[in-house]
Structures are given as C-alpha cells and as structure tokens.
Amino acid sequence: MHNSIDHPVTADTKKSWQVPDTLIIIFMVGILATILTYLIPAGSFSQQTVSFIADGVEKTRTVIDPASFKYAIDANGDKIYNTVGLFSAGGGIGLMNFMFEGLVSGSKWGSAVGVIMFMLVIGGAFGVVMRTGAIDAGILALIHKTKGNDFLFIPALFVLFSLGGAVFGMGEEAIAFAIIIAPLMLRLGYDGITTVMVTYVATQVGFASSWMNPFSVAIAQGIAGIPVLSGMELRLPMWVGFTLMGVIFTMRYAAKIKRNPELSYSFKTDQFLRKKTADIQQSEWHFGYTLVIATVAITTGWVVWGVVVHAWYIPEIASQFFTMGFVAGIIGVIFKLNNMTLNDIATSFKEGAGVMLAPALLVGCAKGVLLILGDGSADEPSVLNSILNSAGGAISGIPDVAAVWIMYLFQSIFNFFVTSGSGQAALTMPLLAPLGDIAGISRQVTVLAFQLGDGFTNIVVPTSASLMGTLGVCRIDWGDWIRFSWRFMLLLFVTSSVIVICAHLAGFN
C-alpha cells in the first residue's frame, strides 16, 4: 500500500531497518499457522440452535455445544492433525495457494470475495464522484466558511461515526467515507492517520462499547440467555467515556501534526494526496456541484436507513453506492464538470477501483490464513476449535478475578482469527458463559468481556477487512499504522481491563 515516491538514498537510509510490507507480515503469519497444524490436533464441536428475543421478535442462532468437544481420531484411536503442506489440489488449502483460496472464499454476503468486490465497487463509485470535482470544491468552500472553527471537525466526525458503530454496527461503510474525508483532513493540515481515526477507529470504539449493537451485544446476550439490550446503565456511560477518550487522543495527535506535519507516521505516504489537494484551486461554484453533493448525501442517508430498517448488508450497500457513482457521473457529463465525458466515467471508475486493489489482496490473504486454521467452522475438525476448547479449560481452573480478565484477553486474541462480531459470539459465548457460571462470573460480565475484546482489537488486526480497506484508501501501510496506534490500543486495553474487573467486583448483572 506504499506509494512509489522517490526519496534520496543516503547511507543512513540504506542501514535503517524498515517494517516489512503488510503482505510479507501476513505471509509470515500464514507460515506460523501452517506450523500450528503440525503441533495441535484437530477437534470439533456439535452445534445447537438457541432462541432469544430481540426488539420483540424471537430470533434463533446456531451455536456450539460446549460439552460436545472431541478430537478427531483415526481407526487406531490416534488424534488426527489436519496438517497443511506447500500445495493442495482439488480446492484444498496449502501454504503456496492460501492466497488464491482466500481471495475466492466465501460468498457475496461476506469475506472474502464479497468484501473484496464491495471494496472495488465502492472505490470505483467514489472515483467517479471525485472526478467531477464536486468534493474538492465542497471541501474548499467548507474550509472557507468555517475558518477558525475547523478544529470542530474532528470531535464532530468522531462522535458521529462512533454513534454509527454503536447503533447499527457500522464498519465496512467507513471505507467509503474515508475516501471523501481524507482530502478534507489534509487540507486542514492533518494527515491520513487522522482520517482513519475519525472514521474507522471511531466506528470500532462505538462498536466495542455499545449498549445496543445488533451484531455484537444483542447476539451475545441472546446466546448467554440474559435479556437482550440489558445492562444499559453501565454500557451507555461506557460508550460516552470511550468516545470522549478517542476524541481527546485524536485531537491531541492532530494538533501535533498541524504544528509539524513531518511528525506524521504517514507523512511519506500522504504525499500523493497532499500534492493532489494542494494543486486544487478555489473555483466558481457550479450548480452541478450542488447536485453531485446532494446525490452523495441522499445516498448516505438512504444506506443508513436501509441498514437500520431493512438490515441491508454488502450486496445492497454496494449497489446503492454504485448507483450514486453512476448518477454523479451523468451529472458531471451533463454539466461538463471538469470537462467530464462519458469515457471519463469509465476511466475514473477503473482508477478508483484500482486504489482498492492492494487492500483487497490483503483481505484475501488474511482470509487464507484463517482457512489454514479451519475457518471457524465449529462442526469440522480444526486447529481453531482445539484452541478455543483449550482456552475454555484454562479459564475454568483459576480464581474469578483472574478468570474475568483472562476472558477479556482471550476474546481480544481470538478476534484475530474471527473478526465477525456475530461469528465470534456464536463460537465463544456458549463455551464461556457456563464456564463463567462455575467461576462465579455473571453472564452480563461475560458479555462485557466479549464485546470489549471483540471490538477494540478490530483497530489493529490485519485480518479485519474494514481496517485494511480504510488504510488502503488513505494509503497507509499497516506497519506504520501499528507504530502509531499501539499507544491508543494500550490505553483502551488498560481501561477495558479495569472496567471488566470492576464490573465483576461490583456485581454487574
């Protein structure tokens, strides 16, 4: 995801160590996952269906039976290891073909192929919108009208995206908004990392600390057998606190970058967009710009309505944004915005989709790593199921305060393998909820440990398609992102640990 930028080569730069490219890091993780298949025998769970009430409607969810775990054994009674070799034919998984298998896995409803196509379509659609020049003109006009108050953009955007994450599990949608917000942040004197903070990171802060997230809290509470959306008296203030923490952290960083842009962790990779935005001059406002911006605003509201009211997901959202790009392109041609032609619509769509190619490859590779370990299928023998069962056994034999913290830690680590909130809830909650009962931990606290562990690590794990997509459109390498974000993650981790332990000691139920 690095841009090709020429820099003078000196003796110091030759000797200095560089963080490996994200693709190299994921391949190394793939090697580690392959080694684990030779060390850990494969196991599986039986599955069962549970029912719960959400929004007055009875819903069902297929989850694991925690007492049903068994290792796969051969005819001689020996444990089976699902070892992964270099290659595998017939659609199997191997170290040298895990990228291809990851790229083509899944369906249009999710990772990897659905998310990859979602990213390409959104990138193309916003490429058309950007080609009209309406967004650039709008940004310049907005900066001119809000001169002196531009610092308010950061808290306003962070709170808005955090609310989206809390209310309807916003995540993938942040990729689209980052495309628009990145030029604004650079024009204001900030950087690409600030863009990621006020968009994607804000959604995950809201997602993790939510009182009503339908893809995390609601499902986990239903599986745990406690009233759905209960515990609001703790979770609502928690969301306010974490959101405020994110706003302050982001504003302090942004102020530092505005004083000295060279302190930015994305200074080099920002140069492409920085040069592009610097070349844009204030021009006379055109009625066509108003129509394009109105199209973007109406589409955004329409998508939010569809997600909240009709549970739209990847196919529906991608289709709405594609329509937005098509309409914006037609407006650009009719009003001759930036001298746009019909061929320019096609060209800008391809260029916009091309920007998403690098993060799309990373999404496929990350999915390939999960396929090596078993892909999270509970009823198929896999290394992942054995890890899950061993973690559950370890938690059951320690004191309650330590157990509740280990639950949170385990959920944080397990999220690397299963980044879907609902998927992680279905795999872990049936196992950890009864173990919590034995250890004297209320199921409300068990859900709290799940949501905080599942949500916050989405900010850093390279297996998160939404993170890699947002970093991709902002042209930030994952290694540079980690160099910046580890302090914020440490702050979130320590605070979450204190909250989980205090909630247990206070009898949160």
Side-chain angles (χ1 to χ4, degrees):
M1 288 189 291
H2 282 298
N3 265 340
S4 180
I5 303 172
D6 293 329
H7 299 286
V9 179
T10 64
D12 289 338
T13 56
K14 284 182 179 178
K15 293 178 181 178
S16 63
W17 181 82
Q18 289 183 325
V19 176
D21 187 89
T22 311
L23 206 57
I24 300 298
I25 293 173
I26 292 182
F27 187 77
M28 291 177 178
V29 174
I31 294 174
L32 176 61
T34 301
I35 293 172
L36 288 178
T37 65
Y38 288 83
L39 302 177
I40 302 175
S44 63
F45 294 91
S46 298
Q47 293 186 306
Q48 58 188 2
T49 301
V50 297
S51 301
F52 58 94
I53 304 296
D55 297 326
V57 178
E58 184 176 6
K59 298 184 179 182
T60 60
R61 191 85 189 175
T62 300
V63 300
I64 66 169
D65 178 357
S68 66
F69 178 81
K70 61 180 183 296
Y71 286 107
I73 56 175
D74 58 21
N76 298 321
D78 297 323
K79 294 177 181 177
I80 295 175
Y81 291 77
N82 285 350
T83 55
V84 172
L86 284 177
F87 299 98
S88 182
I93 190 74
L95 180 60
M96 289 297 120
N97 66 310
F98 84 91
M99 172 187 274
F100 177 82
E101 294 298 330
L103 283 167
V104 300
S105 66
S107 70
K108 67 179 181 179
W109 300 102
S111 191
V113 67
V115 173
I116 290 171
M117 294 303 107
F118 174 79
M119 291 164 64
L120 294 178
V121 170
I122 278 189
F126 276 95
V128 176
V129 171
M130 299 301 288
R131 176 63 179 80
T132 66
I135 299 300
D136 296 324
I139 288 172
L140 291 175
L142 186 63
I143 292 173
H144 179 72
K145 289 185 177 180
T146 59
K147 223 167 185 68
N149 296 313
D150 51 30
F151 68 94
L152 294 175
F153 281 121
I154 289 176
L157 288 171
F158 200 104
V159 171
L160 191 63
F161 279 93
S162 179
L163 191 62
V167 174
F168 60 91
M170 189 178 188
E172 291 89 351
E173 299 86 348
I175 300 172
F177 293 107
I179 297 173
I180 296 176
I181 293 172
L184 171 62
M185 289 293 118
L186 290 175
R187 271 282 178 177
L188 292 173
Y190 306 129
D191 62 354
I193 282 177
T194 307
T195 302
V196 178
M197 287 296 294
V198 300
T199 54
Y200 176 72
V201 170
T203 66
Q204 297 313 295
V205 167
F207 190 99
S209 57
S210 173
W211 66 97
M212 62 173 294
N213 186 342
F215 302 109
S216 175
V217 175
I219 289 176
Q221 288 179 325
I223 293 172
I226 58 178
V228 173
L229 306 187
S230 58
M232 193 179 298
E233 66 278 5
L234 171 65
R235 289 186 173 90
L236 193 53
M238 183 175 72
W239 172 77
V240 173
F242 276 115
T243 300
L244 183 61
M245 183 187 300
V247 168
I248 293 172
F249 188 93
T250 305
M251 290 187 73
R252 291 187 62 184
Y253 172 78
K256 181 176 73 172
I257 299 309
K258 194 162 188 174
R259 288 193 300 270
N260 186 357
E262 292 188 10
L263 294 176
S264 168
Y265 290 93
S266 60
F267 180 73
K268 291 181 180 179
T269 52
D270 278 343
Q271 292 310 303
F272 175 81
L273 277 179
R274 201 179 293 277
K275 184 178 183 303
K276 192 174 178 182
T277 55
D279 292 340
I280 299 167
Q281 302 299 322
Q282 183 84 46
S283 60
E284 185 179 346
W285 189 260
H286 198 293
F287 179 64
Y289 293 157
T290 303
L291 293 179
V292 171
I293 291 175
T295 300
V296 174
I298 291 170
T299 302
T300 301
W302 180 254
V303 167
V304 170
W305 174 81
V307 170
V308 174
V309 177
H310 294 292
W312 283 356
Y313 197 43
I314 288 174
E316 296 88 353
I317 297 172
S319 299
Q320 308 311 308
F321 279 120
F322 177 82
T323 305
M324 174 199 71
F326 176 79
V327 173
I330 297 300
I331 293 171
V333 171
I334 293 173
F335 289 91
K336 300 188 183 306
L337 303 179
N338 271 355
N339 299 314
M340 240 180 127
T341 65
L342 283 174
N343 282 346
D344 286 332
I345 297 177
T347 301
S348 56
F349 186 91
K350 287 183 284 187
E351 289 175 351
V355 171
M356 303 303 295
L357 186 58
L361 287 173
L362 297 174
V363 169
C365 288
K367 180 64 175 180
V369 171
L370 303 187
L371 291 176
I372 290 174
L373 294 173
D375 196 27
S377 179
D379 54 358
E380 293 292 332
S382 69
V383 170
L384 207 56
N385 288 329
S386 299
I387 292 174
L388 176 60
N389 182 68
S390 298
I395 290 172
S396 65
I398 56 178
D400 57 343
V401 173
V404 73
W405 184 77
I406 293 295
M407 276 187 181
Y408 164 64
L409 180 64
F410 169 73
Q411 294 285 11
S412 299
I413 295 171
F414 197 72
N415 191 49
F416 177 89
F417 305 103
V418 184
T419 54
S420 163
S422 57
Q424 186 170 337
L427 283 171
T428 63
M429 289 309 299
L431 182 66
L432 297 185
L435 286 177
D437 294 341
I438 296 171
I441 301 168
S442 76
R443 297 199 169 196
Q444 197 72 264
V445 173
T446 302
V447 171
L448 186 65
F450 155 75
Q451 70 176 102
L452 293 174
D454 163 64
F456 286 137
T457 43
N458 287 327
I459 296 172
V460 291
V461 292
T463 47
S464 167
S466 303
L467 169 64
M468 302 313 293
T470 309
L471 292 179
V473 300
C474 294
R475 290 176 165 79
I476 299 171
D477 188 77
W478 183 78
D480 293 331
W481 173 246
I482 292 301
R483 288 173 57 221
F484 160 77
S485 62
W486 72 266
R487 297 171 184 81
F488 186 56
M489 285 303 301
L490 181 62
L491 180 63
L492 293 176
F493 181 79
V494 172
T495 306
S496 298
S497 299
V498 171
I499 288 175
V500 167
I501 292 172
C502 289
H504 169 65
L505 294 176
F508 179 48
N509 206 335

